[in-house]
Amino acid sequence: MSPNSILSIEDLSPELKTLALETRCAADFPFWLENYGVVEIRGIGVRPFSENIWPYQTGLAQLFQQESRLVILKARQTGVSTMAMHFAYWLCRFGEPHSQHVLVLSKSKEDAAYLLEKVPVINAAQPESLRTDATVDRTFQYTLSNGNTIECLASTPSGGRSRAATAIVLDEHAFHQAAEQNWTALAPTLEGAGHFIVISTGNGQGNLFYNLYAQAKAQESEFRACFIPFDAPPHRNEEWRETEREGYPMGEELFNQEYPRSDREAFTKTGTCRFDVEWVEDQINKPHDSPTLMFDGRGRLFEKVIPGQRYIAGLDCAQGLNEQGNPDATSLKIITPQFRHVASYEVKAGVEPGVVAQEIMQLLRVYNPFLCVERNKGAGMIAALQALGYSNFYRFEKRHIQKDAKEERNPQIGIQMTTLHKKLMVEQLTAVVNSRALHSDDVSMWSEFPTYVQLSATQWGATGTAKDDQVTGMGWAIWAAGHMPPPRTKRRKKKVLWV
Protein backbone atom coordinates (compact mmCIF):
# COMPACT_ATOMS: atom_id res chain seq x y z
CA MET A 1 0.00 0.00 0.00
CA SER A 2 1.30 3.46 -0.91
CA PRO A 3 2.15 5.69 2.09
CA ASN A 4 -0.12 8.41 0.64
CA SER A 5 -3.13 6.20 -0.15
CA ILE A 6 -6.40 6.61 1.76
CA LEU A 7 -7.29 3.71 4.02
CA SER A 8 -10.78 2.27 3.42
CA ILE A 9 -12.77 0.00 5.68
CA GLU A 10 -12.02 -2.91 3.34
CA ASP A 11 -8.32 -2.54 4.15
CA LEU A 12 -8.94 -3.21 7.83
CA SER A 13 -8.64 -6.50 9.62
CA PRO A 14 -11.93 -8.29 10.44
CA GLU A 15 -11.64 -7.13 14.05
CA LEU A 16 -11.08 -3.51 13.05
CA LYS A 17 -13.89 -3.73 10.47
CA THR A 18 -16.27 -4.83 13.22
CA LEU A 19 -15.08 -2.04 15.48
CA ALA A 20 -15.40 0.57 12.71
CA LEU A 21 -18.95 -0.57 11.87
CA GLU A 22 -19.92 -0.61 15.54
CA THR A 23 -18.56 2.92 15.97
CA ARG A 24 -20.33 4.24 12.86
CA CYS A 25 -23.67 2.71 13.80
CA ALA A 26 -23.43 3.94 17.39
CA ALA A 27 -22.84 7.50 16.20
CA ASP A 28 -25.36 7.66 13.34
CA PHE A 29 -28.95 6.43 13.80
CA PRO A 30 -30.03 7.33 10.22
CA PHE A 31 -27.08 5.33 8.81
CA TRP A 32 -27.87 2.31 10.97
CA LEU A 33 -31.62 2.52 10.22
CA GLU A 34 -31.17 2.65 6.46
CA ASN A 35 -28.55 -0.09 6.34
CA TYR A 36 -29.63 -2.47 9.12
CA GLY A 37 -33.24 -1.63 9.93
CA VAL A 38 -36.06 -3.89 8.77
CA VAL A 39 -39.72 -3.48 7.93
CA GLU A 40 -42.47 -6.09 7.91
CA ILE A 41 -44.57 -5.86 4.75
CA ARG A 42 -47.96 -7.53 4.73
CA GLY A 43 -47.94 -10.57 2.45
CA ILE A 44 -44.18 -10.32 1.84
CA GLY A 45 -42.51 -10.58 5.23
CA VAL A 46 -39.43 -8.92 6.70
CA ARG A 47 -37.46 -6.80 4.24
CA PRO A 48 -34.42 -4.53 4.70
CA PHE A 49 -35.21 -0.89 5.33
CA SER A 50 -32.79 0.02 2.53
CA GLU A 51 -35.18 -1.50 -0.03
CA ASN A 52 -38.22 0.40 1.18
CA ILE A 53 -37.11 3.58 2.97
CA TRP A 54 -39.20 6.62 2.09
CA PRO A 55 -37.54 10.02 1.56
CA TYR A 56 -39.17 11.64 4.59
CA GLN A 57 -37.93 8.87 6.90
CA THR A 58 -34.28 9.87 6.52
CA GLY A 59 -35.05 13.36 7.78
CA LEU A 60 -37.25 12.03 10.57
CA ALA A 61 -34.48 9.66 11.65
CA GLN A 62 -32.19 12.67 12.02
CA LEU A 63 -34.79 14.39 14.19
CA PHE A 64 -35.05 11.30 16.41
CA GLN A 65 -31.34 11.49 17.13
CA GLN A 66 -30.88 15.27 17.23
CA GLU A 67 -34.00 16.40 19.11
CA SER A 68 -34.40 15.27 22.70
CA ARG A 69 -38.00 16.54 22.81
CA LEU A 70 -40.19 15.68 19.84
CA VAL A 71 -43.97 15.68 19.29
CA ILE A 72 -45.08 14.08 16.02
CA LEU A 73 -48.55 14.45 14.49
CA LYS A 74 -48.93 11.83 11.79
CA ALA A 75 -51.29 10.32 9.29
CA ARG A 76 -52.10 6.63 9.64
CA GLN A 77 -49.73 3.95 8.36
CA THR A 78 -46.74 6.22 7.74
CA GLY A 79 -44.23 3.99 9.53
CA VAL A 80 -43.51 6.40 12.40
CA SER A 81 -44.18 3.89 15.19
CA THR A 82 -41.92 1.35 13.49
CA MET A 83 -39.15 3.95 13.31
CA ALA A 84 -39.67 4.75 17.01
CA MET A 85 -39.16 1.10 17.96
CA HIS A 86 -35.98 1.03 15.84
CA PHE A 87 -34.80 4.10 17.73
CA ALA A 88 -35.56 2.41 21.05
CA TYR A 89 -33.55 -0.64 19.98
CA TRP A 90 -30.68 1.56 18.71
CA LEU A 91 -30.46 3.38 22.05
CA CYS A 92 -30.26 0.08 23.92
CA ARG A 93 -27.98 -1.78 21.49
CA PHE A 94 -25.38 0.96 21.18
CA GLY A 95 -25.73 2.59 24.59
CA GLU A 96 -23.32 1.97 27.44
CA PRO A 97 -24.09 -1.25 29.36
CA HIS A 98 -26.85 -0.88 31.96
CA SER A 99 -27.42 2.76 30.92
CA GLN A 100 -30.73 2.58 29.02
CA HIS A 101 -34.29 1.84 30.05
CA VAL A 102 -36.64 2.84 27.24
CA LEU A 103 -40.30 3.04 28.25
CA VAL A 104 -42.95 2.87 25.54
CA LEU A 105 -46.55 3.62 26.51
CA SER A 106 -49.31 2.64 24.13
CA LYS A 107 -53.10 2.98 24.22
CA SER A 108 -53.74 -0.69 25.13
CA LYS A 109 -51.98 -3.88 26.22
CA GLU A 110 -52.52 -5.38 22.79
CA ASP A 111 -50.87 -2.41 21.09
CA ALA A 112 -48.00 -2.46 23.59
CA ALA A 113 -47.34 -6.14 22.92
CA TYR A 114 -47.56 -5.58 19.16
CA LEU A 115 -44.96 -2.81 19.31
CA LEU A 116 -42.53 -4.85 21.38
CA GLU A 117 -42.83 -7.76 18.93
CA LYS A 118 -40.90 -5.62 16.47
CA VAL A 119 -37.76 -5.54 18.65
CA PRO A 120 -36.75 -9.26 18.49
CA VAL A 121 -37.31 -9.12 14.72
CA ILE A 122 -34.98 -6.11 14.46
CA ASN A 123 -32.31 -7.82 16.58
CA ALA A 124 -32.52 -11.08 14.64
CA ALA A 125 -32.06 -9.20 11.34
CA GLN A 126 -28.76 -7.64 12.40
CA PRO A 127 -25.53 -8.93 10.86
CA GLU A 128 -23.67 -11.32 13.12
CA SER A 129 -21.18 -8.64 14.17
CA LEU A 130 -23.99 -6.37 15.44
CA ARG A 131 -26.47 -8.94 16.73
CA THR A 132 -26.61 -9.45 20.48
CA ASP A 133 -28.33 -11.90 22.79
CA ALA A 134 -31.47 -11.14 24.79
CA THR A 135 -31.57 -12.09 28.45
CA VAL A 136 -35.28 -11.22 28.80
CA ASP A 137 -37.84 -11.68 26.01
CA ARG A 138 -41.31 -11.32 27.46
CA THR A 139 -44.59 -9.91 26.20
CA PHE A 140 -43.91 -6.44 27.58
CA GLN A 141 -40.15 -6.42 28.26
CA TYR A 142 -37.05 -7.05 26.17
CA THR A 143 -33.58 -6.88 27.74
CA LEU A 144 -30.32 -7.19 25.83
CA SER A 145 -27.23 -8.91 27.16
CA ASN A 146 -25.68 -5.50 27.90
CA GLY A 147 -28.39 -4.93 30.49
CA ASN A 148 -30.32 -2.30 28.53
CA THR A 149 -34.11 -2.73 28.47
CA ILE A 150 -37.14 -1.79 26.37
CA GLU A 151 -40.46 -1.95 28.19
CA CYS A 152 -43.81 -1.54 26.43
CA LEU A 153 -46.88 -0.95 28.61
CA ALA A 154 -50.46 0.24 28.30
CA SER A 155 -51.27 3.80 29.31
CA THR A 156 -53.03 2.95 32.54
CA PRO A 157 -52.96 5.29 35.58
CA SER A 158 -50.01 3.25 36.90
CA GLY A 159 -48.29 2.77 33.54
CA GLY A 160 -45.68 5.49 34.02
CA ARG A 161 -45.16 5.26 37.77
CA SER A 162 -42.02 3.98 39.43
CA ARG A 163 -40.25 3.70 36.07
CA ALA A 164 -36.71 5.07 36.02
CA ALA A 165 -36.81 5.59 32.26
CA THR A 166 -33.92 7.14 30.34
CA ALA A 167 -36.02 7.56 27.19
CA ILE A 168 -39.79 7.62 26.66
CA VAL A 169 -41.98 7.00 23.63
CA LEU A 170 -45.70 7.77 23.92
CA ASP A 171 -47.37 6.06 20.96
CA GLU A 172 -50.86 7.17 19.79
CA HIS A 173 -50.81 9.58 22.71
CA ALA A 174 -54.07 11.35 21.79
CA PHE A 175 -55.89 8.10 22.59
CA HIS A 176 -54.27 7.39 25.97
CA GLN A 177 -56.86 7.01 28.72
CA ALA A 178 -54.47 8.17 31.45
CA ALA A 179 -52.49 10.76 29.49
CA GLU A 180 -52.48 13.45 32.20
CA GLN A 181 -51.67 11.08 35.08
CA ASN A 182 -48.79 9.49 33.18
CA TRP A 183 -47.44 12.87 32.11
CA THR A 184 -47.16 13.88 35.75
CA ALA A 185 -45.52 10.58 36.66
CA LEU A 186 -43.01 10.90 33.82
CA ALA A 187 -42.01 14.46 34.75
CA PRO A 188 -38.58 13.43 36.15
CA THR A 189 -37.59 12.05 32.73
CA LEU A 190 -38.93 15.16 31.05
CA GLU A 191 -36.76 17.27 33.35
CA GLY A 192 -33.69 15.15 32.63
CA ALA A 193 -31.54 14.67 29.55
CA GLY A 194 -33.27 11.63 28.04
CA HIS A 195 -35.24 11.46 24.80
CA PHE A 196 -38.97 12.17 25.08
CA ILE A 197 -40.93 11.37 21.91
CA VAL A 198 -44.71 11.84 21.63
CA ILE A 199 -46.44 10.33 18.58
CA SER A 200 -50.08 10.25 17.52
CA THR A 201 -52.69 10.71 14.88
CA GLY A 202 -55.12 13.49 15.73
CA ASN A 203 -58.09 12.98 18.03
CA GLY A 204 -59.73 16.38 18.28
CA GLN A 205 -58.56 19.36 20.27
CA GLY A 206 -59.65 18.69 23.83
CA ASN A 207 -56.72 16.54 24.91
CA LEU A 208 -53.12 16.75 26.11
CA PHE A 209 -51.61 15.70 22.78
CA TYR A 210 -53.24 18.59 20.95
CA ASN A 211 -51.97 21.01 23.59
CA LEU A 212 -48.43 19.61 23.35
CA TYR A 213 -48.41 19.90 19.57
CA ALA A 214 -49.92 23.40 19.54
CA GLN A 215 -47.40 24.66 22.10
CA ALA A 216 -44.49 23.09 20.22
CA LYS A 217 -45.64 24.55 16.91
CA ALA A 218 -45.90 27.99 18.51
CA GLN A 219 -42.41 27.47 19.98
CA GLU A 220 -43.84 27.89 23.48
CA SER A 221 -42.26 24.71 24.87
CA GLU A 222 -39.03 22.72 24.69
CA PHE A 223 -40.61 20.26 22.25
CA ARG A 224 -40.21 20.42 18.49
CA ALA A 225 -43.34 19.84 16.42
CA CYS A 226 -43.27 17.57 13.37
CA PHE A 227 -46.21 16.86 11.04
CA ILE A 228 -46.29 13.79 8.75
CA PRO A 229 -49.11 14.22 6.16
CA PHE A 230 -50.99 11.44 4.40
CA ASP A 231 -48.82 11.69 1.27
CA ALA A 232 -45.46 11.31 3.02
CA PRO A 233 -45.25 7.75 1.64
CA PRO A 234 -44.37 8.28 -2.05
CA HIS A 235 -47.10 5.99 -3.40
CA ARG A 236 -49.86 8.19 -1.97
CA ASN A 237 -51.41 11.13 -3.84
CA GLU A 238 -54.81 12.80 -4.11
CA GLU A 239 -56.09 10.02 -6.36
CA TRP A 240 -55.07 7.44 -3.75
CA ARG A 241 -56.75 9.54 -1.05
CA GLU A 242 -60.04 9.75 -2.95
CA THR A 243 -60.03 5.98 -3.48
CA GLU A 244 -59.50 5.43 0.24
CA ARG A 245 -62.22 7.93 1.10
CA GLU A 246 -64.81 6.09 -1.00
CA GLY A 247 -64.39 2.93 1.06
CA TYR A 248 -64.10 4.64 4.45
CA PRO A 249 -67.11 3.85 6.68
CA MET A 250 -66.66 6.40 9.51
CA GLY A 251 -67.45 9.70 7.81
CA GLU A 252 -65.57 12.65 6.34
CA GLU A 253 -64.41 14.16 9.64
CA LEU A 254 -62.71 11.01 10.90
CA PHE A 255 -61.21 10.31 7.49
CA ASN A 256 -59.57 13.74 7.44
CA GLN A 257 -58.28 13.10 10.95
CA GLU A 258 -56.60 9.85 9.93
CA TYR A 259 -55.36 10.95 6.50
CA PRO A 260 -54.79 14.71 6.89
CA ARG A 261 -53.24 17.03 4.33
CA SER A 262 -52.47 19.65 6.99
CA ASP A 263 -52.05 19.66 10.75
CA ARG A 264 -55.23 21.71 11.09
CA GLU A 265 -57.15 19.09 9.14
CA ALA A 266 -55.77 16.44 11.51
CA PHE A 267 -57.49 18.20 14.42
CA THR A 268 -60.86 18.96 12.80
CA LYS A 269 -62.69 16.50 15.04
CA THR A 270 -63.47 19.03 17.75
CA GLY A 271 -66.76 17.56 18.96
CA THR A 272 -68.05 20.66 20.78
CA CYS A 273 -66.86 23.50 18.55
CA ARG A 274 -69.88 25.57 17.46
CA PHE A 275 -68.13 27.29 14.58
CA ASP A 276 -67.92 26.20 10.94
CA VAL A 277 -64.37 24.85 11.21
CA GLU A 278 -64.08 24.14 7.48
CA TRP A 279 -64.86 27.76 6.61
CA VAL A 280 -62.60 29.02 9.39
CA GLU A 281 -59.85 26.86 7.88
CA ASP A 282 -60.42 28.55 4.55
CA GLN A 283 -60.04 31.99 6.17
CA ILE A 284 -56.72 30.93 7.69
CA ASN A 285 -55.30 29.51 4.46
CA LYS A 286 -56.49 32.10 1.93
CA PRO A 287 -54.05 34.84 0.76
CA HIS A 288 -54.01 37.91 2.99
CA ASP A 289 -52.77 41.46 2.60
CA SER A 290 -50.18 42.43 5.19
CA PRO A 291 -51.61 44.81 7.83
CA THR A 292 -50.07 48.13 8.78
CA LEU A 293 -48.30 47.55 12.10
CA MET A 294 -48.24 49.89 15.09
CA PHE A 295 -46.73 49.72 18.58
CA ASP A 296 -44.14 47.03 17.75
CA GLY A 297 -46.78 44.86 16.11
CA ARG A 298 -49.34 45.06 18.93
CA GLY A 299 -51.60 47.17 16.72
CA ARG A 300 -52.61 45.95 13.26
CA LEU A 301 -54.61 48.03 10.76
CA PHE A 302 -56.29 46.03 8.02
CA GLU A 303 -58.23 48.92 6.53
CA LYS A 304 -57.82 52.68 6.65
CA VAL A 305 -60.58 54.73 8.20
CA ILE A 306 -63.29 55.77 5.74
CA PRO A 307 -64.83 59.23 6.36
CA GLY A 308 -68.46 58.89 7.38
CA GLN A 309 -68.15 55.15 8.13
CA ARG A 310 -69.35 54.09 11.56
CA TYR A 311 -67.31 51.57 13.57
CA ILE A 312 -67.89 49.21 16.51
CA ALA A 313 -65.32 47.62 18.84
CA GLY A 314 -65.05 44.93 21.50
CA LEU A 315 -62.38 44.97 24.21
CA ASP A 316 -61.42 41.96 26.34
CA CYS A 317 -58.90 42.99 29.01
CA ALA A 318 -56.20 40.82 30.55
CA GLN A 319 -56.16 40.02 34.23
CA GLY A 320 -53.34 37.52 34.60
CA LEU A 321 -54.96 34.10 34.04
CA ASN A 322 -58.04 33.07 32.09
CA GLU A 323 -60.71 30.58 33.19
CA GLN A 324 -58.47 27.64 32.23
CA GLY A 325 -55.53 29.01 34.26
CA ASN A 326 -53.52 30.18 31.24
CA PRO A 327 -51.99 33.66 30.81
CA ASP A 328 -54.51 35.85 28.99
CA ALA A 329 -54.10 38.92 26.83
CA THR A 330 -55.84 42.21 26.15
CA SER A 331 -57.59 42.11 22.77
CA LEU A 332 -59.35 44.92 20.89
CA LYS A 333 -61.31 44.22 17.70
CA ILE A 334 -62.73 47.02 15.53
CA ILE A 335 -65.33 46.22 12.86
CA THR A 336 -67.91 47.91 10.66
CA PRO A 337 -71.68 47.35 11.04
CA GLN A 338 -71.34 45.01 8.04
CA PHE A 339 -68.85 42.86 10.09
CA ARG A 340 -65.78 43.87 8.15
CA HIS A 341 -62.79 43.67 10.49
CA VAL A 342 -60.62 46.79 10.15
CA ALA A 343 -58.20 46.82 13.10
CA SER A 344 -56.84 44.76 16.01
CA TYR A 345 -54.77 45.33 19.10
CA GLU A 346 -53.29 42.51 21.21
CA VAL A 347 -50.87 42.64 24.11
CA LYS A 348 -49.78 40.12 26.74
CA ALA A 349 -48.32 40.80 30.15
CA GLY A 350 -45.12 42.80 30.14
CA VAL A 351 -46.35 46.16 28.85
CA GLU A 352 -47.34 48.74 31.46
CA PRO A 353 -51.14 49.16 31.75
CA GLY A 354 -50.79 52.91 31.28
CA VAL A 355 -48.94 52.37 28.00
CA VAL A 356 -51.60 49.87 26.87
CA ALA A 357 -54.37 52.40 27.57
CA GLN A 358 -52.55 55.11 25.61
CA GLU A 359 -51.94 52.82 22.64
CA ILE A 360 -55.56 51.67 22.59
CA MET A 361 -56.65 55.31 22.83
CA GLN A 362 -54.64 56.15 19.70
CA LEU A 363 -56.57 53.49 17.76
CA LEU A 364 -59.87 54.67 19.20
CA ARG A 365 -59.13 58.23 18.09
CA VAL A 366 -58.61 56.97 14.53
CA TYR A 367 -61.88 55.00 14.22
CA ASN A 368 -64.02 56.39 17.11
CA PRO A 369 -65.86 53.05 17.47
CA PHE A 370 -68.87 52.32 19.66
CA LEU A 371 -66.84 50.42 22.25
CA CYS A 372 -68.06 47.47 24.35
CA VAL A 373 -65.75 46.63 27.27
CA GLU A 374 -66.13 43.59 29.52
CA ARG A 375 -66.29 45.12 33.01
CA ASN A 376 -65.10 42.07 34.99
CA LYS A 377 -61.51 42.68 33.95
CA GLY A 378 -61.87 46.04 32.23
CA ALA A 379 -63.15 48.50 34.84
CA GLY A 380 -59.68 49.97 35.23
CA MET A 381 -59.30 50.28 31.44
CA ILE A 382 -62.65 52.07 31.20
CA ALA A 383 -61.49 54.60 33.81
CA ALA A 384 -58.17 55.07 32.01
CA LEU A 385 -59.84 55.65 28.64
CA GLN A 386 -62.30 58.11 30.17
CA ALA A 387 -59.39 59.99 31.73
CA LEU A 388 -57.84 60.20 28.25
CA GLY A 389 -61.07 61.69 26.91
CA TYR A 390 -62.92 58.75 25.34
CA SER A 391 -66.72 58.71 25.66
CA ASN A 392 -68.23 56.56 22.88
CA PHE A 393 -68.98 53.54 25.10
CA TYR A 394 -71.61 50.81 24.99
CA ARG A 395 -73.73 50.76 28.18
CA PHE A 396 -75.54 47.58 29.15
CA GLU A 397 -79.26 47.69 29.84
CA LYS A 398 -81.61 44.86 30.77
CA ARG A 399 -83.70 45.60 27.69
CA HIS A 400 -80.77 44.29 25.63
CA ILE A 401 -81.64 40.78 26.81
CA GLN A 402 -85.25 41.25 28.05
CA LYS A 403 -87.74 42.62 25.55
CA ASP A 404 -90.15 43.87 28.20
CA ALA A 405 -87.50 45.71 30.25
CA LYS A 406 -87.66 49.49 30.35
CA GLU A 407 -85.02 51.92 29.19
CA GLU A 408 -82.61 52.81 31.97
CA ARG A 409 -81.78 56.40 32.77
CA ASN A 410 -78.05 56.11 33.53
CA PRO A 411 -76.76 52.59 32.66
CA GLN A 412 -73.26 51.54 33.57
CA ILE A 413 -70.50 51.61 30.95
CA GLY A 414 -69.54 48.17 29.57
CA ILE A 415 -71.02 44.75 30.25
CA GLN A 416 -70.60 42.43 33.20
CA MET A 417 -69.55 38.93 32.19
CA THR A 418 -72.12 36.45 33.50
CA THR A 419 -72.95 32.91 32.38
CA LEU A 420 -76.05 34.22 30.58
CA HIS A 421 -74.28 37.13 28.91
CA LYS A 422 -71.45 34.94 27.67
CA LYS A 423 -73.89 32.34 26.35
CA LEU A 424 -75.79 34.99 24.42
CA MET A 425 -72.56 36.56 23.14
CA VAL A 426 -71.30 33.17 21.87
CA GLU A 427 -74.64 32.54 20.15
CA GLN A 428 -74.47 35.89 18.35
CA LEU A 429 -70.84 35.37 17.35
CA THR A 430 -71.61 31.84 16.12
CA ALA A 431 -74.47 33.13 13.98
CA VAL A 432 -72.26 35.75 12.31
CA VAL A 433 -69.33 33.37 11.72
CA ASN A 434 -71.39 30.42 10.51
CA SER A 435 -73.38 32.63 8.14
CA ARG A 436 -69.97 33.60 6.75
CA ALA A 437 -70.70 37.27 7.35
CA LEU A 438 -67.49 38.07 9.24
CA HIS A 439 -64.71 39.24 6.91
CA SER A 440 -61.23 39.43 8.42
CA ASP A 441 -57.59 39.10 7.40
CA ASP A 442 -56.58 38.45 11.03
CA VAL A 443 -55.10 34.94 10.82
CA SER A 444 -54.16 34.86 14.52
CA MET A 445 -57.79 35.51 15.45
CA TRP A 446 -59.16 32.88 13.08
CA SER A 447 -56.69 30.38 14.55
CA GLU A 448 -58.41 30.67 17.93
CA PHE A 449 -61.88 29.74 16.65
CA PRO A 450 -61.39 25.94 16.22
CA THR A 451 -60.23 25.60 19.85
CA TYR A 452 -63.07 27.69 21.30
CA VAL A 453 -65.47 25.02 22.55
CA GLN A 454 -68.18 24.24 25.07
CA LEU A 455 -66.19 23.11 28.12
CA SER A 456 -69.26 22.23 30.18
CA ALA A 457 -73.00 22.76 30.17
CA THR A 458 -72.56 26.42 31.10
CA GLN A 459 -68.94 27.23 30.23
CA TRP A 460 -67.32 28.26 26.96
CA GLY A 461 -63.64 28.87 26.32
CA ALA A 462 -60.41 27.60 24.83
CA THR A 463 -59.33 24.00 25.24
CA GLY A 464 -56.23 23.27 27.30
CA THR A 465 -53.51 25.86 26.79
CA ALA A 466 -55.10 27.43 23.70
CA LYS A 467 -56.00 31.14 23.73
CA ASP A 468 -59.45 32.72 23.37
CA ASP A 469 -58.85 36.45 23.98
CA GLN A 470 -59.29 37.43 20.33
CA VAL A 471 -62.46 35.38 19.93
CA THR A 472 -63.87 37.07 23.04
CA GLY A 473 -62.88 40.53 21.83
CA MET A 474 -64.61 39.91 18.51
CA GLY A 475 -67.62 38.50 20.36
CA TRP A 476 -68.13 41.74 22.29
CA ALA A 477 -67.74 43.74 19.08
CA ILE A 478 -70.53 41.66 17.49
CA TRP A 479 -72.59 42.18 20.66
CA ALA A 480 -72.15 45.96 20.48
CA ALA A 481 -73.13 45.95 16.80
CA GLY A 482 -76.59 44.81 17.80
CA HIS A 483 -77.07 47.73 20.20
CA MET A 484 -75.40 50.64 18.47
CA PRO A 485 -77.56 53.77 18.65
CA PRO A 486 -78.74 55.29 15.39
CA PRO A 487 -76.53 58.00 13.91
CA ARG A 488 -77.17 61.51 15.07
CA THR A 489 -78.52 63.90 12.49
CA LYS A 490 -77.65 67.53 12.60
CA ARG A 491 -80.65 69.75 12.93
CA ARG A 492 -80.83 72.62 10.53
CA LYS A 493 -81.24 75.97 12.15
CA LYS A 494 -84.41 77.63 11.03
CA LYS A 495 -83.90 81.03 9.58
CA VAL A 496 -85.96 83.67 11.34
CA LEU A 497 -87.43 86.21 9.05
CA TRP A 498 -87.73 89.53 10.80
CA VAL A 499 -90.39 91.82 9.58
Side-chain angles (χ1 to χ4, degrees):
M1 179 181 297
S2 170
N4 297 323
S5 62
I6 298 175
L7 190 67
S8 72
I9 194 171
E10 298 303 324
D11 298 319
L12 301 177
S13 66
E15 293 78 10
L16 288 178
K17 281 184 181 181
T18 299
L19 179 60
L21 180 61
E22 177 94 11
T23 303
R24 176 71 189 276
C25 291
D28 193 341
F29 172 63
F31 169 82
W32 171 81
L33 176 69
E34 184 169 354
N35 288 278
Y36 302 107
V38 293
V39 59
E40 292 186 78
I41 302 175
R42 189 179 304 169
I44 297 177
V46 177
R47 302 300 302 164
F49 228 105
S50 57
E51 294 181 4
N52 302 279
I53 193 166
W54 296 327
Y56 94 89
Q57 291 177 314
T58 300
L60 183 59
Q62 292 173 348
L63 287 181
F64 272 118
Q65 184 171 358
Q66 295 170 0
E67 301 290 338
S68 61
R69 304 289 182 267
L70 197 59
V71 54
I72 303 171
L73 170 64
K74 67 179 185 69
R76 282 195 64 200
Q77 298 169 334
T78 48
V80 177
S81 297
T82 296
M83 289 183 64
M85 296 311 297
H86 275 80
F87 186 65
Y89 173 85
W90 178 80
L91 288 173
C92 290
R93 169 60 185 82
F94 298 104
E96 292 294 325
H98 303 283
S99 68
Q100 298 294 319
H101 186 126
V102 181
L103 176 62
V104 181
L105 293 184
S106 194
K107 60 183 179 180
S108 68
K109 287 184 177 181
E110 291 76 15
D111 289 320
Y114 172 74
L115 286 176
L116 194 62
E117 286 174 0
K118 297 178 182 294
V119 178
V121 175
I122 296 170
N123 188 48
Q126 298 303 294
E128 186 176 354
S129 60
L130 295 180
R131 194 183 312 127
T132 187
D133 293 331
T135 57
V136 177
D137 185 0
R138 299 176 185 153
T139 305
F140 303 110
Q141 181 179 339
Y142 191 83
T143 301
L144 298 175
S145 58
N146 62 5
N148 292 331
T149 295
I150 301 172
E151 193 174 15
C152 290
L153 301 174
S155 174
T156 62
S158 60
R161 299 199 178 278
S162 301
R163 308 287 174 182
T166 56
I168 290 172
V169 176
L170 305 181
D171 186 62
E172 289 297 356
H173 185 245
F175 301 88
H176 286 197
Q177 295 182 357
E180 288 78 10
Q181 297 96 312
N182 281 322
W183 191 264
T184 301
L186 298 171
T189 302
L190 187 60
E191 295 167 0
H195 287 270
F196 207 115
I197 301 170
V198 188
I199 303 167
S200 191
T201 50
N203 187 29
Q205 298 171 358
N207 55 66
L208 179 58
F209 176 75
Y210 172 80
N211 296 337
L212 291 171
Y213 182 84
Q215 284 182 317
K217 185 179 179 182
Q219 298 182 346
E220 295 176 350
S221 74
E222 59 184 329
F223 280 81
R224 176 167 177 177
C226 179
F227 171 61
I228 309 297
F230 86 95
D231 58 355
H235 66 280
R236 295 181 179 181
N237 53 27
E238 284 294 335
E239 183 179 352
W240 177 92
R241 193 172 190 271
E242 288 304 313
T243 301
E244 291 293 310
R245 187 202 304 271
E246 291 174 3
Y248 192 79
M250 302 300 290
E252 180 81 8
E253 190 177 68
L254 283 173
F255 179 83
N256 289 336
Q257 174 181 284
E258 297 201 334
Y259 299 100
R261 289 166 291 198
S262 68
D263 55 359
R264 292 187 182 280
E265 195 170 56
F267 291 120
T268 53
K269 180 178 165 291
T270 59
T272 55
C273 183
R274 292 271 296 271
F275 301 108
D276 184 343
V277 176
E278 182 177 353
W279 187 71
V280 170
E281 177 92 17
D282 291 340
Q283 305 316 297
I284 294 170
N285 294 327
K286 73 177 185 181
H288 298 280
D289 294 330
S290 299
T292 300
L293 301 181
M294 300 174 65
F295 320 124
D296 296 325
R298 293 187 289 275
R300 292 167 292 145
L301 309 185
F302 303 101
E303 184 180 295
K304 293 181 179 179
V305 67
I306 300 174
Q309 173 69 64
R310 304 182 76 200
Y311 296 98
I312 310 114
L315 179 59
D316 180 52
C317 296
Q319 195 183 27
L321 300 178
N322 62 15
E323 294 176 3
Q324 287 71 53
N326 303 315
D328 60 1
T330 292
S331 179
L332 172 73
K333 300 297 179 187
I334 303 177
I335 62 174
T336 68
Q338 295 77 33
F339 308 123
R340 194 170 65 252
H341 184 193
V342 299
S344 283
Y345 178 89
E346 271 77 44
V347 62
K348 296 180 181 179
V351 180
E352 289 294 327
V355 174
V356 173
Q358 291 175 8
E359 292 178 349
I360 288 176
M361 186 63 186
Q362 289 188 49
L363 281 174
L364 297 181
R365 286 196 180 104
V366 173
Y367 294 94
N368 190 34
F370 182 56
L371 176 63
C372 178
V373 184
E374 181 191 324
R375 286 195 62 86
N376 301 56
K377 299 179 290 183
M381 180 62 72
I382 292 172
L385 294 176
Q386 284 183 303
L388 292 170
Y390 202 73
S391 60
N392 192 13
F393 290 102
Y394 163 83
R395 296 170 181 265
F396 174 76
E397 299 183 49
K398 285 186 178 180
R399 64 193 180 104
H400 293 166
I401 60 174
Q402 296 178 10
K403 292 183 179 181
D404 57 347
K406 296 181 179 180
E407 183 176 355
E408 297 177 28
R409 180 170 297 181
N410 189 27
Q412 196 175 43
I413 291 175
I415 183 169
Q416 199 74 20
M417 174 71 84
T418 65
T419 300
L420 175 61
H421 295 165
K422 189 167 187 178
K423 176 178 178 293
L424 295 174
M425 179 268 281
V426 171
E427 289 176 354
Q428 292 178 18
L429 178 61
T430 302
V432 171
V433 171
N434 288 358
S435 64
R436 306 189 176 186
L438 180 60
H439 301 282
S440 174
D441 285 329
D442 193 342
V443 174
S444 62
M445 179 197 70
W446 284 120
S447 297
E448 289 188 1
F449 275 91
T451 57
Y452 193 85
V453 301
Q454 188 167 4
L455 301 169
S456 66
T458 60
Q459 187 182 18
W460 286 86
T463 58
T465 58
K467 306 292 190 297
D468 62 5
D469 312 285
Q470 298 191 59
V471 172
T472 304
M474 182 57 74
W476 291 128
I478 300 296
W479 177 282
H483 305 288
M484 185 167 60
R488 295 179 180 178
T489 56
K490 293 183 178 179
R491 293 182 180 180
R492 291 184 178 181
K493 294 183 179 179
K494 291 183 178 181
K495 293 183 179 180
V496 179
L497 184 62
W498 297 95
V499 179

